[in-house]
């Protein structure tokens, strides 16, 4: 803090003639300009220029006696000093002021672009506000318990089936040995032996049916019911998260104001991260739906075994065919319904993603065109010949980088690099949003083709021909979507190059060349270049 009670970080006001005092040499700050400043910088700029922190709350500054003076007041020992300056000192000060006025004000290369780098870039998906959703996705997609439960059940009954087959084999051998011995001894006739064989087969069939029924009942009790309950609970949790996130997106769209400061990536998550998280939640829920569907399908297969086993034992071909047809039709109906429901969910999420991506792209494009002309104006003031050219550099920058005394163009190059990277965030945001939309569109296309394929096969068309045709159709749709994405991304990149990118690169190259000629090019600037 200075003796005038003004934050030291407001160096641009005295140098550029912003809304709060200064010499009036430069441009006044606009609301549009404040919109794209960092949060702390913006808070300072939005303070009322006629007040000071002391006036708002003097008690906070009692430890510093110099902060109690107003904007036109000075301590007693300072009064009259500006009136008693010798003529020579006054002339030196005027000459210094004139030299300072000749330097180019490049502060807008800092104040116009959005904050860079952001604390929580959307592509990293690590904003604290969305931590709960990320944790939810990880927890609900942890299906090791379900896999282990199913595997343990299958291993148990695989062992029971192997033990059953081994005992049956041993009993058959023992029975035949005893029957043959009894026939040789004449204690039983062939008719009696055939009757005993029929009784043995009946008991064997009963035991096989009991084993099949036991496996079906055990699957229902130990696997289906508990795991289905877990899956339904997780589906409900994810659905609640999806609804909550969609409501937040809707509220953000409704409450958006033209002059709202850009805090995305710092105080608030970026739209890209919100939509990515929504996509992850949706994919997690689809995985849970698929797991539930597979559980029910396996249960139906085990029930099918219980129903068809008596007809197989009695070799009733007609009943076997009738039963198989029933279960095949039921499986087809379930598969078609599942594909249709999946497609409907994809269409719903596609509507949400598409509308928000369109809004986000428009916002980023508008923001870019809001600041690009002003940055371009600063660039156009930088001459082709940089010999003797210099820029305004805050004293704090001199203190941190003494090399600026000898090579002031280093400061210019640093700000140009910052402006390029910070402004390019608008382009990256648009590109990332368009890529996210492409991923969701691809998922919707896959779901639509799968649903159509199932419907056509169920209607009686040859399965192989239908699958080949739908695969070709899917590949063509993907090519169209990819080409559309490339066109849109290319258009965004072209706008960047034509509006600002090429000019920034041109000026940076000239500054770099001049610094190399002066011996002021160093490794730090090379790092900023990359």
């Amino acid at each position: 803090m200075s003796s005038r009670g003004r934050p030291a970080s407001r160096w641009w006001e005295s140098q550029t003639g912003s809304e709060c005092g200064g010499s009036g040499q430069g441009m006044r700050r606009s609301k549009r300009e404040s919109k794209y400043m960092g949060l702390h910088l913006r808070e300072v700029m939005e303070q009322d220029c006629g007040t000071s922190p002391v006036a708002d709350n003097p008690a906070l500054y009692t430890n510093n006696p110099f902060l109690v003076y107003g904007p036109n007041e000075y301590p007693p020992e300072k009064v009259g000093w500006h009136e008693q300056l010798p003529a020579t000192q006054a002339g030196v000060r005027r000459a210094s002021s004139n030299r300072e006025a000749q330097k180019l004000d490049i502060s807008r290369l800092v104040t116009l672009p959005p904050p860079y780098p952001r604390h929580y870039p959307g592509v990293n998906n690590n904003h604290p506000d969305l931590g709960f959703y990320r944790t939810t996705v990880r927890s609900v997609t942890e299906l090791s318990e379900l896999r282990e439960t199913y595997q343990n059940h299958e291993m148990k009954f695989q062992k029971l089936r192997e033990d059953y087959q081994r005992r049956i084999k041993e009993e058959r051998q023992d029975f035949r040995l005893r029957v043959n011995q009894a026939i040789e001894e004449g204690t039983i006739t062939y008719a009696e032996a055939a009757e005993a064989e029929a009784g043995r087969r009946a008991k064997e069939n009963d035991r096989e049916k009991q084993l099949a029924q036991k496996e079906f009942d055990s699957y229902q009790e130990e696997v289906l019911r508990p795991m289905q309950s877990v899956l339904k609970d997780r589906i409900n949790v994810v659905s609640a998260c999806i609804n909550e996130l969609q409501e937040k997106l809707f509220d953000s769209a409704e409450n958006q104001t033209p002059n709202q400061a850009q805090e995305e990536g710092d105080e608030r998550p970026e739209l890209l991260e919100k939509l990515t998280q929504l996509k992850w939640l949706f994919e997690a829920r689809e995985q849970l739906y698929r797991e539930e569907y597979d559980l029910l399908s396996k249960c139906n297969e085990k029930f099918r075994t219980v129903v068809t086993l008596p007809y197989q034992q009695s070799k009733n071909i007609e009943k076997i065919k009738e039963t198989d047809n029933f279960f095949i039709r039921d499986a087809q109906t379930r598969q078609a319904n599942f594909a249709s429901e999946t497609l409907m969910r994809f269409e719903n999420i596609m509507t949400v993603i598409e509308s928000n991506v369109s809004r986000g792209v428009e916002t980023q494009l508008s923001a870019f065109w809001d600041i690009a002309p002003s940055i371009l104006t600063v660039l156009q003031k930088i001459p082709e010949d940089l010999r003797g050219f210099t820029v305004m550099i805050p004293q704090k920058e001199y203190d941190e980088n003494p090399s600026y005394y000898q090579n002031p163009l280093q400061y210019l190059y640093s700000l140009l690099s910052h402006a390029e990277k910070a402004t390019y965030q608008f382009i990256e945001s648009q590109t990332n949003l368009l890529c996210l939309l492409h991923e969701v569109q691809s998922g919707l296309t896959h779901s639509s083709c799968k649903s159509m394929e199932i419907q056509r096969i169920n209607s009686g068309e040859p399965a192989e021909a239908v699958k080949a045709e739908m695969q070709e159709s899917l590949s063509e749709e993907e090519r169209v979507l990819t080409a559309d994405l490339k066109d849109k991304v290319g258009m965004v990149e072209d706008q960047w190059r034509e509006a600002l990118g090429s000019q920034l690169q041109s000026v940076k190259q000239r500054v770099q060349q001049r610094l190399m000629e002066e011996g002021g090019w160093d490794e730090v600037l090379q790092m900023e270049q990359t």
Side-chain angles (χ1 to χ4, degrees), residues 20 27 29 194 207 224:
C20 310
M27 299 169 289
R29 300 296 168 183
R207 290 168 61 186
L224 178 62

Side-chain angles (χ1 to χ4, degrees), residues 85 108 138 140 186 209 217 285 295 318 474 508 520:
L85 283 175
R108 281 197 162 183
R138 286 193 294 268
V140 300
K209 286 188 286 186
D217 294 339
R285 188 174 64 177
L295 278 176
E318 183 178 350
L474 178 61
K508 283 179 64 179

Side-chain angles (χ1 to χ4, degrees), residues 161-219:
R161 286 190 294 268
E162 291 174 356
D163 292 342
Y164 169 77
Q165 293 296 334
R166 179 173 48 78
R167 287 197 304 270
I168 288 296
K169 185 178 180 180
E170 293 174 355
E171 289 175 1
R172 285 176 182 175
Q173 292 176 348
D174 182 64
F175 177 81
R176 288 169 184 170
L177 181 63
R178 287 186 291 103
V179 168
N180 289 336
Q181 185 177 1
I183 292 176
E184 290 176 359
E185 293 175 354
T187 55
I188 62 172
T189 63
Y190 284 101
E192 292 173 337
E195 184 178 350
E197 174 68 15
R200 184 197 64 77
R201 288 180 179 176
K203 291 181 180 179
E204 184 178 306
N205 290 340
D206 287 341
R207 290 168 61 186
E208 187 176 7
K209 286 188 286 186
Q210 290 174 4
L211 179 61
Q213 185 68 45
K214 181 180 179 181
E215 183 175 359
F216 172 69
D217 294 339
S218 175
Y219 182 85

Side-chain angles (χ1 to χ4, degrees), residues 206-335:
D206 287 341
R207 290 168 61 186
E208 187 176 7
K209 286 188 286 186
Q210 290 174 4
L211 179 61
Q213 185 68 45
K214 181 180 179 181
E215 183 175 359
F216 172 69
D217 294 339
S218 175
Y219 182 85
Q220 282 190 312
E221 293 297 326
E222 298 177 10
V223 180
L224 178 62
R225 290 174 184 170
M227 291 299 100
Q228 190 177 28
S229 176
V230 170
L231 290 174
K232 285 186 178 298
D233 289 341
R234 293 185 180 186
I235 289 173
N236 291 335
V237 170
V238 177
S239 296
C241 290
I242 290 176
N243 294 335
E244 182 181 24
L245 195 51
Q246 288 182 173
E247 290 176 2
K248 290 181 179 179
L249 289 168
F250 178 77
D251 292 340
S252 298
E254 289 293 312
N255 299 329
Q256 193 171 16
T257 59
N259 292 322
Q260 182 178 2
Q262 286 222 336
E263 298 174 355
E264 289 190 335
D266 290 312
E267 281 72 14
R268 296 182 291 109
E270 291 186 39
L271 177 62
L272 171 68
E273 186 171 355
K274 293 179 184 177
L275 295 180
T276 301
Q277 193 60 61
L278 182 63
K279 174 176 171 287
W280 287 352
L281 288 166
F282 175 80
E283 291 171 344
R285 188 174 64 177
E286 288 305 307
Q287 182 181 359
L288 297 175
Y289 277 126
R290 168 60 66 178
E291 293 292 337
E292 184 181 26
Y293 173 81
D294 290 342
L295 278 176
L296 291 171
S297 297
K298 291 169 183 174
C299 182
N300 286 351
E301 284 299 316
K302 294 184 184 299
F303 181 64
R304 178 180 179 177
T305 301
V306 172
V307 174
T308 58
L309 183 59
Y311 302 130
Q312 291 174 349
Q313 291 173 345
S314 62
K315 296 181 172 55
N316 190 335
I317 304 300
E318 183 178 350
K319 280 293 185 180
I320 291 176
K321 185 181 296 185
E322 180 182 343
T323 305
D324 286 342
N325 289 336
F326 170 80
F327 279 99
I328 290 173
R329 288 194 302 270
D330 179 70
Q332 290 176 339
T333 301
R334 291 181 59 254
Q335 187 182 35

Side-chain angles (χ1 to χ4, degrees), residues 60-199:
L60 296 176
Y61 301 92
T62 54
N63 293 332
N64 191 341
F66 297 106
L67 300 182
V68 300
Y69 297 102
N72 296 316
E73 295 182 275
Y74 298 88
E77 65 274 14
K78 301 288 185 180
V79 173
W81 277 32
H82 63 288
E83 300 173 356
Q84 301 172 2
L85 283 175
T88 56
Q89 293 186 19
V92 171
R93 176 164 296 185
R94 283 193 298 270
S96 176
S97 178
N98 291 335
R99 286 196 302 270
E100 192 68 20
Q102 293 174 358
K103 297 180 179 180
L104 179 63
D105 173 19
I106 58 172
S107 62
R108 281 197 162 183
L109 296 178
V110 175
T111 58
L112 270 174
Y116 177 87
R118 294 172 178 171
H119 292 88
Y120 306 104
V123 294
N124 291 352
N125 296 300
N126 62 352
H127 197 283
D129 288 357
L130 300 180
F132 172 75
Y133 300 114
R134 292 192 295 271
T135 302
T136 299
V137 170
R138 286 193 294 268
S139 61
V140 300
T141 54
E142 174 53 51
L143 300 173
S144 58
E145 178 186 0
L146 187 149
R147 304 274 193 272
E148 185 177 353
T149 301
Y150 176 76
Q151 290 174 0
N152 290 340
H153 180 270
E154 288 300 305
M155 289 174 60
K156 181 176 72 172
F157 277 89
Q158 177 67 24
K159 187 175 184 303
L160 289 177
R161 286 190 294 268
E162 291 174 356
D163 292 342
Y164 169 77
Q165 293 296 334
R166 179 173 48 78
R167 287 197 304 270
I168 288 296
K169 185 178 180 180
E170 293 174 355
E171 289 175 1
R172 285 176 182 175
Q173 292 176 348
D174 182 64
F175 177 81
R176 288 169 184 170
L177 181 63
R178 287 186 291 103
V179 168
N180 289 336
Q181 185 177 1
I183 292 176
E184 290 176 359
E185 293 175 354
T187 55
I188 62 172
T189 63
Y190 284 101
E192 292 173 337
E195 184 178 350
E197 174 68 15

